[in-house]
Amino acid sequence: MKVIIFPSIIKGEIDAPKSKSIAIRILFGSLINNILLREKIPESDDIKYAYESILKMGVLHDNNKLEKPDMINLNKSFYAGGSGTVARIIAGLAIISGGEVIIDGDKNLRNRPFDGLLKLSKLTGSEVSGNKLPVKIESKGKINYIELPELESSQYITGIIYGMAMNNGGIIKFKEKIPSLYYVMLTIDLLSKMGCNLKFEGNEIYVGKCIKNTYEARFPGDFLLSSFYAISSLLTGGLTIIKGLYEPPKYYGDHDIVKILNNANVKSELKDDSWVIYNSEISGEINVDVENTPDMAMSLAPLGVKLKIEINGTKRLKIKESDRILSIKDTMEKFGSYVKIYDNKIIIKPNELKVAEIDCNNDHRVAMMASTVSFIKGGRINNAECINKSDPMHWERYKKLGGEIKFE
């Protein structure tokens, strides 16, 4: 599918797209406690593969309730589609809990590295067939203590936390830096709300027992998926309200994009569960580190058509759905910006804005990044169905905000 975008003023009011990160963690939480669904499970490809995986493990979906299985069955083959999150959570879970597991994914996911699996296999005595999908994991499990080196993804750590919570506890000690710390905190935060006793002190996570109860779940909106609309609004001069976002926690995370934008003299604010983006002139510079929130880079890059933006901590962007370092460079240069890549940093500067044609490279955030800029002078996005990975309603929300879009 090709999307043709015409110059438009983005303004109005929408409901935020649902957070797939939180939704996936809620679904895997049903392996530990019953979950009462207060709204329907969001529709996106990644969430669908998480849902199918927990059903395979024995979770029963009865009306609006996900019922925890008496015995979790990990001796299965799991298909994660294009979701590295789902694949790595299952991998971490399998290594800690035990089983003979096969994990596969689509062509795009098969090309992504799973080097962390090889590190985990050496640490635990598990057998892993390789660092690319499809991969077979054989583990005796029942591991309640592990010392972790630096891994390429925090999603293994989330799987390990779930595995220890299912096994009545354990300790995770970090010998090196924790990747994408925000997403580890998100896991700890959610499982704590579900009744699990977790503590993060120094360089250790203590996973205690979980109280057996029923967790009532709603699926909140996502700040970074919402930020594409917010920045489109800023770039085209509209006023936009995005509703249904989660309450920002005290630790640094994706929600801090609101504060980061305010550093560019943008006037926006959070009111209850809504993000209000006022019509304001963007000026100054932005300097941000995305090591703990890597997806933020794709949201902020479009601001490079208006101001200088320096994005630090970019090394993990290489192993996402595309090499996002190159995707940012290619996309923003086609729209006319100057882009310079360093070892762990990207600098984007404005120049004469151009109309561009972009291929999403099977990466939903590339399509979203390109759409953000396109509403200024126009643009074309090829293979635009890639947005189904996280937000199938992406284009419809833009149309609701006044975006003129044509599909071919």
Side-chain angles (χ1 to χ4, degrees):
M1 179 179 72
K2 178 181 287 188
V3 171
I4 303 171
I5 296 175
F6 301 92
S8 311
I9 295 176
I10 300 303
K11 62 180 181 179
E13 186 175 301
I14 57 168
D15 291 322
K18 300 294 187 180
S19 169
K20 72 181 182 72
S21 296
I22 294 175
I24 288 171
R25 284 162 173 79
I26 288 173
L27 293 178
F28 277 103
S30 64
L31 298 171
I32 299 167
N33 265 325
N34 294 335
I35 293 178
L36 186 63
L37 300 171
R38 289 304 189 187
E39 56 184 318
K40 70 175 186 177
I41 297 171
E43 295 179 0
S44 78
D45 289 347
D46 281 14
I47 295 172
K48 179 186 76 172
Y49 294 122
Y51 174 72
E52 291 174 352
S53 296
I54 62 167
L55 295 185
K56 270 196 170 185
M57 293 179 196
V59 171
L60 177 64
H61 188 177
D62 183 20
N63 293 321
N64 64 339
K65 191 174 184 180
L66 297 175
E67 295 187 5
K68 172 187 176 298
D70 294 330
M71 183 72 69
I72 294 166
N73 187 355
L74 283 167
N75 297 303
K76 300 270 187 174
S77 294
F78 296 93
Y79 183 75
S83 178
T85 299
V86 172
R88 291 188 176 103
I89 288 176
I90 293 172
L93 184 63
I95 283 175
I96 296 300
S97 297
E100 188 172 307
V101 177
I102 296 174
I103 305 171
D104 200 1
D106 64 16
K107 181 180 178 181
N108 189 42
L109 192 58
R110 285 185 171 192
N111 288 328
R112 293 169 65 181
F114 283 74
D115 295 335
L117 265 181
L118 299 182
K119 294 180 180 179
L120 290 173
S121 69
K122 291 178 181 178
L123 288 170
T124 60
S126 306
E127 292 187 18
V128 175
S129 62
N131 70 335
K132 292 285 183 76
L133 300 188
V135 66
K136 184 177 181 180
I137 302 169
E138 295 180 77
S139 172
K140 294 180 181 178
K142 302 301 180 184
I143 296 167
N144 58 16
Y145 180 84
I146 190 168
E147 293 187 14
L148 293 180
E150 186 172 356
L151 303 171
E152 86 271 4
S153 172
S154 66
Q155 294 149 355
Y156 298 116
I157 301 169
T158 288
I160 291 169
I161 293 171
Y162 276 93
M164 287 185 174
M166 288 161 48
N167 296 338
N168 292 319
I171 297 175
I172 305 166
K173 184 175 181 178
F174 299 98
K175 296 162 58 178
E176 299 178 54
K177 188 177 293 185
I178 303 172
S180 306
L181 178 60
Y182 164 65
Y183 298 105
V184 176
M185 296 301 298
L186 201 64
T187 301
I188 293 171
D189 194 16
L190 179 63
L191 285 183
S192 297
K193 291 176 181 176
M194 286 189 176
C196 295
N197 181 20
L198 289 106
K199 293 180 181 178
F200 192 178
E201 296 178 349
N203 65 338
E204 293 183 337
I205 296 175
Y206 300 86
V207 183
K209 292 185 178 181
C210 300
I211 300 170
K212 293 182 179 180
N213 59 14
T214 297
Y215 177 72
E216 295 189 20
R218 295 186 184 275
F219 300 96
D222 186 272
F223 275 89
L224 290 189
L225 293 178
S226 297
S227 69
F228 294 106
Y229 307 107
I231 293 173
S232 283
S233 180
L234 290 169
L235 293 176
T236 61
L239 184 151
T240 300
I241 300 172
I242 304 173
K243 303 182 300 180
L245 294 157
Y246 61 83
E247 182 179 354
K250 293 181 180 179
Y251 50 83
Y252 183 84
D254 290 351
H255 47 277
D256 282 288
I257 193 168
V258 179
K259 295 178 183 177
I260 292 167
L261 289 179
N262 289 343
N263 291 336
N265 296 315
V266 167
K267 186 182 178 184
S268 76
E269 61 181 335
L270 296 177
K271 292 184 175 180
D272 297 324
D273 70 344
S274 296
W275 183 7
V276 183
I277 303 97
Y278 298 96
N279 183 357
S280 52
E281 188 65 32
I282 303 172
S283 61
E285 297 182 3
I286 288 181
N287 189 316
V288 64
D289 192 309
V290 300
E291 185 170 10
N292 288 325
T293 55
D295 291 340
M296 193 181 288
M298 309 294 278
S299 293
L300 292 172
L303 291 170
V305 301
K306 289 284 188 176
L307 50 73
K308 178 184 175 183
I309 177 166
E310 181 175 317
I311 306 173
N312 295 281
T314 56
K315 64 180 181 179
R316 297 189 194 281
L317 297 178
K318 291 183 179 181
I319 61 163
K320 295 289 186 175
E321 285 82 343
S322 65
D323 181 336
R324 287 182 173 169
I325 295 173
L326 296 180
S327 292
I328 288 173
K329 179 176 172 62
D330 178 65
T331 301
M332 296 309 297
E333 284 183 339
K334 284 181 178 177
F335 280 109
S337 295
Y338 290 118
V339 183
K340 183 72 173 177
I341 295 175
Y342 297 87
D343 181 50
N344 197 29
K345 176 172 67 177
I346 301 171
I347 293 179
I348 309 170
K349 296 180 181 179
N351 190 26
E352 183 180 355
L353 184 64
K354 301 175 183 178
V355 176
E357 183 164 353
I358 306 295
D359 192 287
C360 76
N361 296 322
N362 209 21
D363 188 335
H364 57 132
R365 291 189 194 268
V366 172
M368 293 172 178
M369 176 176 62
S371 64
T372 303
V373 182
S374 295
F375 288 103
I376 306 173
K377 290 190 71 172
R380 294 170 178 256
I381 303 171
N382 298 320
N383 301 311
E385 63 275 7
C386 64
I387 55 95
N388 292 335
K389 177 179 173 65
S390 60
D391 183 16
M393 297 300 292
H394 180 74
W395 307 115
E396 294 305 314
R397 285 192 183 86
Y398 264 127
K399 289 170 73 173
K400 187 175 181 180
L401 291 173
E404 187 178 351
I405 297 171
K406 180 181 176 182
F407 301 98
E408 288 186 354

